[in-house]
Amino acid sequence: MKPDDPAAWLFARTTGGIRWGLERTEELLAGVDHPHRRFRALHVGGTNGKGSVSALCESALRAAHPGRTIGLYTSPHLVSFTERIRIDGRPVDAELFARAEARLRPAIERTGATFFEATTALAFLCFAEAGVDLAVVEVGLGGRLDSTNVITPLATTVTNVARDHTEYLGDSLEKIAWEKGGIFKPGVPAVIGEEDPFVMEVLRERAAQAGAPLVVLDAVIRMRDVQVSLEGTRFHLDSERWGAHEVRIPLVGAHQARNAALAAELLGVLPDDVRPSWEAIEAGFAAVRWPGRMQVVRQRGGTWIFDVAHNPAGVAALVDAVDKLDLPRPLVLVAAVLSDKEWSEMLPLLLARADAAILTTAPTAPDGRRWNPEHAAQSLDAKIPVRVIPDLAAALMRAETMAPYGTVLITGSVHTVGDALAALEIPVV
């Protein structure tokens, strides 16, 4: 975040941590005439994949409704704060954001709202003022008490449930699932992508308690012939709703095929007046862009892969994708993980696929969450050369010299990928 960025003042609020409850967000929104009631929305929760599902849905809705204004609210951002609030596929206009900030800032400071509470209120006000008709809203953390849960959406989804943010959501999958299922609403269809039967039962119970009609993904679709390449993913989808189709998406990874199937079913439960046709879904999926998720960039003779995997489940999906690709060798891993993540579980999976590794730090990582790459290197039983280069820019330069015509894989956190994209001057939007 640059000091002159219009949202720079918000980042001072990140030091306040997480404060559960919807009351501050509701107070902020009430003070500007409830902007979240002036547009309709889809609500997307889960542990992994919720950003990809959100991007796929938003792209399909834009293809289906060229005459309507479509919003997308996601978090966190890679390089620029304005990536979080998109209107018709573009980051929020600076003047619109400034006007929203001017209206909300006094209340934000008076209520002591956290960074995410303030950001959510600003996003919803920007959507309302821009005349957004439909918005795709990604849950920030958890679900039940997440700031985005003030909306009453047209449909909801929980992509999956994995161990992450255990300090906030609970130390078991059951507790985490219970929190994530808190976005279910009476009469609002809920589509569930979770595969684990035990976790699914928790989500079923939550949906029943809320009175939400439930659609279980694996009960209504079948995927086959999933093929992954550096250009994207294609697969055959057999859907009770949509029929049989070959689906092509520019997102890389077998997990993205499942995300696409989930997005299609979520779009399918929307009311008739907003539900896209299959042709619009197909066109929107083909045009989707979601940087930092198995993003492949070829430059200066080398192949660069950027992925924000930051927990064991995310890394498992990443290495599954890597295993399916014929990547130029050598493969050099550049990794920086936040200190509160399970890097001891994540790194061995990554090192097993690499020919060499560089452990580094992300410049924008919060001070209190920066890991010690030296300690991590000493803790690993690595079978490949592992170097520690704390400066990310230097680490990237070294990786390029180690793999001049090979592959550099950059991962470990959103901060790591965003900082690397900025350092390499690769545009995000």
Side-chain angles (χ1 to χ4, degrees):
M1 174 61 65
K2 298 176 182 178
D4 60 346
D5 191 290
W9 69 277
L10 276 173
F11 280 76
R13 314 196 74 80
T14 60
T15 58
I18 293 172
R19 295 164 61 196
W20 290 121
L22 304 179
E23 61 275 4
R24 286 174 299 278
T25 306
E26 289 172 336
E27 182 176 346
L28 294 177
L29 295 169
V32 288
D33 196 25
H34 304 285
H36 58 307
R37 299 177 185 173
R38 290 156 58 189
F39 56 86
R40 295 192 285 178
L42 285 72
H43 206 187
V44 181
T47 301
N48 294 307
K50 61 183 184 290
S52 297
V53 170
S54 297
L56 286 158
C57 287
E58 185 267 351
S59 188
L61 288 172
R62 281 195 287 121
H65 304 294
R68 294 181 174 180
T69 303
I70 309 298
L72 175 65
Y73 178 49
T74 60
S75 62
H77 62 270
L78 288 170
V79 177
S80 169
F81 175 88
T82 56
E83 297 166 34
R84 295 171 179 250
I85 308 170
R86 302 193 194 195
I87 299 171
D88 283 340
R90 297 181 296 275
V92 62
D93 176 75
E95 291 186 7
L96 172 60
F97 183 83
R99 292 196 300 270
E101 175 200 0
R103 291 183 63 186
L104 278 166
R105 185 167 181 171
I108 289 169
E109 294 179 339
R110 184 187 71 251
T111 59
T114 65
F115 170 81
F116 192 71
E117 290 167 342
T119 300
T120 299
L122 285 162
F124 291 170
L125 181 56
C126 287
F127 285 166
E129 293 299 298
V132 163
D133 297 294
L134 288 163
V136 182
V137 176
E138 179 192 7
V139 172
L141 178 63
R144 179 175 65 97
L145 297 175
D146 184 79
S147 296
T148 63
N149 205 26
V150 296
I151 61 173
T152 301
L154 299 174
T156 66
T157 186
V158 172
T159 58
N160 53 56
V161 176
R163 288 176 58 85
D164 198 16
H165 300 294
T166 54
E167 68 275 31
Y168 302 115
L169 303 180
D171 56 2
S172 71
L173 289 179
E174 181 181 14
K175 292 177 181 176
I176 296 170
W178 194 87
E179 289 291 340
K180 291 186 182 296
I183 64 172
F184 300 153
K185 303 286 193 305
V188 176
V191 184
I192 306 301
E194 178 58 50
E195 297 178 82
D196 182 277
F198 175 75
V199 176
M200 178 57 70
E201 279 307 306
V202 177
L203 295 173
R204 283 184 186 277
E205 183 179 347
R206 288 292 271 159
Q209 290 173 351
L214 189 65
V215 177
V216 177
L217 184 65
D218 288 318
V220 297
I221 65 103
R222 187 169 69 91
M223 295 187 303
R224 54 189 172 86
D225 300 332
V226 179
Q227 298 180 41
V228 179
S229 72
L230 288 172
E231 282 66 49
T233 305
R234 64 179 181 175
F235 64 100
H236 282 91
L237 175 68
D238 295 310
S239 164
E240 290 183 4
R241 178 179 296 277
W242 299 114
H245 298 277
E246 183 180 69
V247 183
R248 296 172 181 261
I249 55 174
L251 307 179
V252 179
H255 61 291
Q256 296 292 13
R258 188 169 182 85
N259 287 334
L262 179 59
E265 293 304 318
L266 180 61
L267 292 164
V269 300
L270 292 175
D272 293 346
D273 66 322
V274 293
R275 184 188 308 128
S277 65
W278 177 257
E279 291 72 23
I281 291 175
E282 199 169 41
F285 283 9
V288 72
R289 291 190 69 247
W290 193 230
R293 285 77 178 174
M294 274 301 295
Q295 178 182 358
V296 180
V297 177
R298 293 184 177 92
Q299 62 179 24
R300 297 195 293 269
T303 299
W304 298 73
I305 296 178
F306 304 85
D307 193 89
V308 299
H310 59 276
N311 55 36
V315 168
L318 168 59
V319 299
D320 178 72
V322 168
D323 289 345
K324 288 180 169 62
L325 296 171
D326 184 19
L327 294 171
R329 310 297 291 205
L331 191 157
V332 177
L333 169 69
V334 178
V337 187
L338 297 179
S339 61
D340 55 353
K341 298 299 180 181
E342 296 171 293
W343 55 263
S344 61
E345 292 185 38
M346 298 160 56
L347 288 177
L349 290 171
L350 295 164
L351 294 173
R353 274 77 182 174
D355 299 299
I358 299 173
L359 304 187
T360 186
T361 57
T364 61
D367 290 339
R369 301 176 69 194
R370 290 198 178 190
W371 77 330
N372 184 333
E374 290 277 5
H375 170 67
Q378 293 167 5
S379 302
L380 295 169
D381 182 20
K383 304 297 190 293
I384 61 171
V386 177
R387 296 170 173 82
V388 176
I389 304 177
D391 181 77
L392 177 62
L396 295 172
M397 291 179 60
R398 179 60 176 155
E400 187 172 27
T401 63
M402 293 168 66
Y405 298 102
T407 302
V408 179
L409 171 60
I410 301 162
T411 190
S413 77
V414 174
H415 295 281
T416 309
V417 169
D419 291 344
L421 289 169
L424 295 167
E425 299 182 342
I426 296 172
V428 173
V429 291

